[in-house]
Amino acid sequence: MQSEKTTLFMCVLSFGFVLGQVSYTIPEEMPKGSLIGNIAHDLGLQIKRLKEGKARIFTRDSDEYIELDKERGVLLVKERIDREVLCKQTTPCALHFQIILENPMEFYSITVQITDINDNSPTFEKNKIDFKISESAVIGAKFALERAADLDVGINDLKSYALKPTENFVLKLNNNPDGNKNVEMVLQKPLDREKQQQINLVLTATDGGVPQMSGTMLIVITVLDVNDNSPVFTQQIYKATVTENSPIATVVATVKATDADEGTNSKITYSIRNTLDDVRKTFEINQENGQVTLIGNMDFEESRSYEIHLLAMDEGGLTDSCKLIVEVQDTNDNIPEIQIMSKSTVISEDAIINTVVTMISIADKDSEKNGNVKCYIDENMPFILKSSASNFYSLVTDSELDRESNSVYNITVTCCDEGVPSLSSSVTLTLQISDVNDNIPVFEKNSYETYVVENNTPGLSIFTIKKNGEVTCKINDEIPFKIKKTMNEFYSLETEVPLDRELAPAFNITVLCSDDGVPSLSSSVTLPLQISDVNDNAPVFERSSFEANIVENNKPGLSIFTIKATDADWGQNARISYILEDSSVNGVPVSSYVSVSADSGVIHAVRSFDYEQIKDFQFRVKAQDGGSPPLYSNVTVKLLIQDQNDNPPQVLYPVQTGGSMVAEMVPRSADVGYLVTKVVAVDVDSGQNAWLSYKLQKRLTVIVEDNGQPSRSATVIVNVAVADSFPEVLSEFTDFPHDKEYNDNLTFYLMLALAVVSFLFITCLVVIISVKIYRWRQCRILYHSNLPVIPYYPPRYSDTLGTRTLPHVYNYDISRTTDSRKSDNKVGGAVDNVLIMDPSSTGTMQRMQQSEKSILDEPDSPLEVRLPC
């Protein structure tokens, strides 16, 4: 805020105070320059008095619509007046202002009432609305329609509605206590979806103006099946009270509608029907539960109540409507506003008692006690504050003035309201007591110190000086300021452009004043002007996004990297705090992964990361400054997890199960280069850490190593049986050295297995012979098998994720010579034989032999042996 320490000067030539009031009525949209009224005649003033008294208009509004022509003594339209913009739906609509005169000081209250013309047609918020109505809807079913809105008032406001065609539906209007009409569409003829699936209607809204204006909306009705109960609100009018300045998301009220239907036809959707007012910008309703919440700010001074029209619609298109009236409660949130209407900043010491020094206008936007204001000034001063009219005060002299005892008075006017707690504001008036004529330019001080807030409005007055006689003042060049003559004896130093502290934090302004004498006399003063900072710059990150890497298996609390943001503001406005925004990674809050130091912006790991579980994730960091209100910016940070070699390879084939081993059979006639088996392994790491190499050690032990640092490995033992027949292979494996307990168990289970297999074989043979005799009675020779056939299917491995596993089943016949323990392995061609050797069993060998023809060719029998006829 600006602190004005410079002295303001103004001479009071004559004294007095008069109050009067005049009212005029004009239509809106009058052209610029149109005559409103002869104010001089109506106030009983001479045009000469208007000129000599420097008559001017004083208004609180930022926009001035009326201007005073002092040469003719009339009021003219300065700017085109749109009643709908100025007052919206408020009636009557009027402009209130004052005409101020000086020497003596007088003011008159003027009221210009604006009447409405028909310049707005009725409009619907939507050009088209869709309904889904069941063909079973009963005659008399009501469907709420959107109301049209007309910005005009009175006779020019909305008057009637029309619905065409009217074959199935008629229009029904319900009058509300507030004068508005609820528009409903009533079914008068049953719907038949088979005859007409869609009906198009046109709703027309017409006003009562001349010429008459109208607006239309298309109603598209889709005929559905079965929905014979409309939603019904528990109340037709709901009422709620909310305090102004309530926070966003405050629950205002909850409305409830019920539907006697079942299933989807009873599902109700809530919506707000208001069209052209600010209701939808201030409130929203939960479509599912009917909860009405705040989405905008409420100000009692702008709107004391809201009328929300709500609609409940089921899935079949049937509707019901209600009204929610929200009363806004006033809080004492506005300080009294003090506005100087006219002031004298210099007064002669021989001024008579009751001379008007300053006229002040007081306003408080609050209501009742919160808006009742009383003003007072400091004691022990030769001035008093008089209430001249409602919300107007005059500062007048109360005793004789003596310049020699006190040449300057700083008068503080304080105004307090009656709210709880009470709010107050004050303004300090500097009044100079003048003596005799002084022909030499004189400044009150040799130097001044002041400040002005940046982003000011151009034309802001920093300080004023008084000249006595013909004096010319100027300032140094190349600074964004100008000095200009404001009144006969005053110069005002003003800004030319908005100031920016970030570009120039201070200025030294030299004011030089010279008179027109010969020789010319002059004096100067330097004004050090400090530019106060406002929080108008948000923090800016060094980059638009950040990306960082971290190796998995890190320690919790590890510092990953640092983000940095800067703020061009100063002091507390430039103090930056870093905040981790709420988000989730795979359903887990991001705060359980990383944390951000609020002061330094250092990002720490909260947990140890595992590359195999998560490879990367993103999160957002907010940089917020310490201003009020705070400004902030966001940046996206992407964290990449780097893989470590922390997983050894896993052997998929041969399968290594507890206590069992897989034997690959190689025929004795196998040549060099014969494929014995293929070892398949995978590594869950990635990149170089998942590259696998295979090494063959003694006893056919295969070591699988990855290419990580450090390297990890896994081993698998491949058992190879070199034999031409199963008995030899059996003999080979039974000769393996085992402990006594293992051999005993193996013998027992082998005998048991042979007995069971023999029994099953004989049984199957009898069944097969019986079936064959029945089918082919001409067959006499039976086929006898020497060994039982037990199918074994090795696992299939698919090549996934580049692990290079076997895509098909490979079976190899592995055999050895008679004295296999002393001879070399002989690997033959690939055959379809696989041996499984279980050391924990009796040594029973499982064999799978793939025949050229399946014994299950016939669908009539689960097991069939083809016999020669």
Side-chain angles (χ1 to χ4, degrees), residues 453-498:
V453 177
E454 66 173 330
N455 303 329
N456 60 286
T457 303
L460 175 67
S461 176
I462 300 176
F463 77 109
T464 59
I465 59 175
K466 175 195 181 248
K467 68 182 183 68
N468 192 357
E470 296 298 327
V471 176
T472 301
C473 296
K474 61 181 181 179
I475 60 175
N476 48 312
D477 298 331
E478 298 181 355
I479 57 175
F481 304 91
K482 63 181 178 181
I483 188 168
K484 68 176 184 179
K485 190 181 295 184
T486 59
M487 297 177 65
N488 289 338
E489 298 183 358
F490 293 93
Y491 277 97
S492 173
L493 180 64
E494 299 178 354
T495 59
E496 289 186 319
V497 296

Side-chain angles (χ1 to χ4, degrees), residues 407-635:
S407 60
V408 178
Y409 289 95
N410 290 318
I411 307 169
T412 300
V413 180
T414 303
C415 297
C416 304
D417 60 27
E418 297 180 2
V420 179
S422 177
L423 299 179
S424 64
S425 60
S426 62
V427 63
T428 299
L429 306 173
T430 302
L431 186 63
Q432 182 78 25
I433 309 301
S434 64
D435 192 16
V436 295
N437 291 335
D438 187 354
N439 296 323
I440 300 175
V442 176
F443 294 95
E444 261 196 338
K445 300 179 183 179
N446 293 328
S447 63
Y448 295 87
E449 291 185 1
T450 186
Y451 69 92
V452 63
V453 177
E454 66 173 330
N455 303 329
N456 60 286
T457 303
L460 175 67
S461 176
I462 300 176
F463 77 109
T464 59
I465 59 175
K466 175 195 181 248
K467 68 182 183 68
N468 192 357
E470 296 298 327
V471 176
T472 301
C473 296
K474 61 181 181 179
I475 60 175
N476 48 312
D477 298 331
E478 298 181 355
I479 57 175
F481 304 91
K482 63 181 178 181
I483 188 168
K484 68 176 184 179
K485 190 181 295 184
T486 59
M487 297 177 65
N488 289 338
E489 298 183 358
F490 293 93
Y491 277 97
S492 173
L493 180 64
E494 299 178 354
T495 59
E496 289 186 319
V497 296
L499 303 177
D500 191 345
R501 190 206 65 81
E502 287 72 36
L503 298 177
F507 294 93
N508 287 321
I509 305 172
T510 300
V511 181
L512 177 65
C513 293
S514 304
D515 61 19
D516 295 336
V518 179
S520 175
L521 299 178
S522 64
S523 61
S524 62
V525 65
T526 299
L527 174 64
L529 181 63
Q530 299 294 326
I531 309 301
S532 298
D533 186 46
V534 298
N535 192 27
D536 57 346
N537 291 279
V540 178
F541 284 96
E542 294 176 343
R543 287 182 284 174
S544 59
S545 63
F546 291 88
E547 186 172 297
N549 299 286
I550 183 173
V551 179
E552 67 171 331
N553 302 322
N554 59 287
K555 293 183 179 180
L558 176 67
S559 174
I560 303 175
F561 74 110
T562 302
I563 60 175
K564 185 69 175 177
T566 58
D567 195 313
D569 291 320
W570 180 82
Q572 182 67 20
N573 294 333
R575 185 175 181 272
I576 298 176
S577 299
Y578 300 90
I579 303 170
L580 179 65
E581 292 192 348
D582 292 336
S583 63
S584 62
V585 178
N586 298 330
V588 179
V590 72
S591 57
S592 65
Y593 287 89
V594 294
S595 64
V596 180
S597 174
D599 296 326
S600 63
V602 178
I603 297 180
H604 297 272
V606 176
R607 62 165 63 175
S608 177
F609 295 107
D610 187 349
Y611 176 84
E612 286 68 42
Q613 294 182 359
I614 182 171
K615 294 179 175 54
D616 63 76
F617 63 92
Q618 291 184 352
F619 55 91
R620 292 178 65 83
V621 178
K622 178 171 68 177
Q624 179 173 292
D625 60 26
S628 179
L631 301 178
Y632 64 88
S633 60
N634 308 77
V635 71

Side-chain angles (χ1 to χ4, degrees), residues 253-274:
T254 300
V255 298
K256 179 69 175 177
T258 58
D259 194 313
D261 293 322
E262 295 182 352
T264 58
N265 289 330
S266 64
K267 183 179 179 182
I268 297 175
T269 301
Y270 300 90
S271 61
I272 296 177
R273 298 173 56 202
N274 296 64

Side-chain angles (χ1 to χ4, degrees), residues 707-726:
N707 202 31
Q709 294 294 333
S711 175
R712 295 180 178 271
S713 64
T715 61
V716 60
I717 299 175
V718 180
N719 298 293
V720 180
V722 182
D724 290 329
S725 63
F726 285 107

